[in-house]
Amino acid sequence: MTLTPEGLEHTPTLDTIIEGITCRIAERSDRGRPADYIPELARADLSRFGIAVATADGRLVTGGDRDMGFSLQSISKVFTLTLALGQVGDALWRRVGREPSGNPFNSIVQLEYEQGRPRNPFINAGAIAVTDAILSGHQPREALGAILRFIRFVSDDDGITINEDVARSEKENGFRNIALANYMRSFGILENPVDYVLGVYFHHCAIEMNCRQLAMAGRYLAFGGRHTPGGARVVSAERARRINALMLTCGHYDGSGDFAFHVGLPGKSGVGGGILAIVPGKASIAVWSPGLDANGNSWLGAAALEQLAKEMRWSVFGD
Ligand code: DON
């Protein structure tokens, strides 16, 4: 309840806000377009929408198709970045930058200008270089196993798996990623055989999760590197803070500025239509709607987050 000049006013709870957003999104006729570079994503049902919010007091508030699995795609890059920093520490930044790209996620031209060193760990070239760091000293199967184990650990769910059909399609249609990887290899940015690196990259993009699992997985970023406030440590508070900073500045590629403007939260999108957004100290949010905008980010997912951040006053830039 809030005291206003007119008297006591009911303050909406997170549950009613999520319910309202889910209803409003269902009524929208503008739903974006699915990713069309592989058949598995192209045939997505645009009417779908799911949301889950894991809060500091241990609740999971959900709406819509919260149990429906979707392809994680570029959201997996948050987890591979966390894992790579755990393995090689700040040495990772010798081969990947930390600046927004202002270019599409699969841009080739920028890589040439910058001598094969990707702008940030979330564009495809950067994520491929991060995957290479995880792979060094291991077999591809071991590296992929470590990625999947880490995602299962942070989401507290051993049921998370890789969609092998998506991984196969990614490989069959991955011409641009193959070009990016070969180009980086020519500059010595990649240490491992391109086939191995891309095999692991395509498979981690093909991990499937639902909104509940993804919201749970993002908790360590929301709660200062811990599973829950005061709970087990996953990464240092500094590392969680820095990953959030990269999500805010680079998580939506050339749509990152617009996402910060409208939503005001660190977020990472994937072409499967998911977005993981972090409210530092307060919540980890997963939304999913497979229709994308022109930058490859979920159209209604971002709209839902804008509404949620506004109603909860969760923007990191203030009320
Ligand atoms: O490598 C690719 O192009 C895709 N597997 C992932 C791209 C992606 O999710 C970009 N995010 N919006």
Side-chain angles (χ1 to χ4, degrees), residues 37 72-75 77 105-106 124 170 177 201-202 205 253 268-272 295-297:
Y37 69 100
L72 208 51
Q73 294 298 327
S74 288
I75 305 171
K77 297 169 182 176
F105 58 83
N106 53 8
N124 285 9
E170 292 276 348
N177 285 326
Y201 172 79
F202 291 139
C205 285
Y253 313 107
K268 182 73 209 79
S269 65
V271 289
N295 293 321
N297 302 315

Side-chain angles (χ1 to χ4, degrees), residues 155-176:
S155 53
D156 227 342
D157 194 324
D158 282 342
I160 294 164
T161 54
I162 295 169
N163 183 323
E164 290 293 340
D165 292 338
V166 172
R168 197 174 315 112
S169 273
E170 292 276 348
K171 186 176 176 206
E172 284 167 8
N173 295 281
F175 308 110
R176 231 173 226 260

Side-chain angles (χ1 to χ4, degrees), residues 62-209:
T62 64
D65 301 307
R66 74 278 257 175
D67 292 314
M68 193 160 279
F70 56 88
S71 195
L72 208 51
Q73 294 298 327
S74 288
I75 305 171
S76 61
K77 297 169 182 176
V78 173
F79 305 111
T80 50
L81 173 64
T82 308
L83 206 57
L85 286 170
Q87 287 183 5
V88 303
D90 284 343
L92 186 71
W93 304 122
R94 282 207 287 270
R95 46 175 153 165
V96 185
R98 297 188 294 260
E99 295 298 339
S101 63
N103 268 302
F105 58 83
N106 53 8
S107 172
I108 290 180
V109 67
Q110 192 164 54
L111 206 55
E112 175 155 27
Y113 276 124
E114 298 179 0
Q115 287 75 49
R117 182 174 179 262
R119 269 283 171 107
N120 68 62
F122 294 147
I123 52 172
N124 285 9
I128 292 167
V130 167
T131 302
D132 180 70
I134 295 173
L135 182 57
S136 287
H138 303 278
Q139 290 302 313
R141 256 176 213 287
E142 292 170 342
L144 193 57
I147 295 168
L148 198 54
R149 266 195 310 282
F150 178 68
I151 291 180
R152 287 173 173 170
F153 165 66
V154 285
S155 53
D156 227 342
D157 194 324
D158 282 342
I160 294 164
T161 54
I162 295 169
N163 183 323
E164 290 293 340
D165 292 338
V166 172
R168 197 174 315 112
S169 273
E170 292 276 348
K171 186 176 176 206
E172 284 167 8
N173 295 281
F175 308 110
R176 231 173 226 260
N177 285 326
I178 295 166
L180 290 167
N182 277 303
Y183 196 68
M184 285 190 288
R185 176 90 201 212
S186 78
F187 282 98
I189 296 284
L190 299 190
E191 291 169 354
N192 296 284
V194 162
D195 274 7
Y196 284 17
V197 182
L198 287 176
V200 177
Y201 172 79
F202 291 139
H203 278 79
H204 75 63
C205 285
I207 291 172
E208 241 169 48
M209 288 173 88

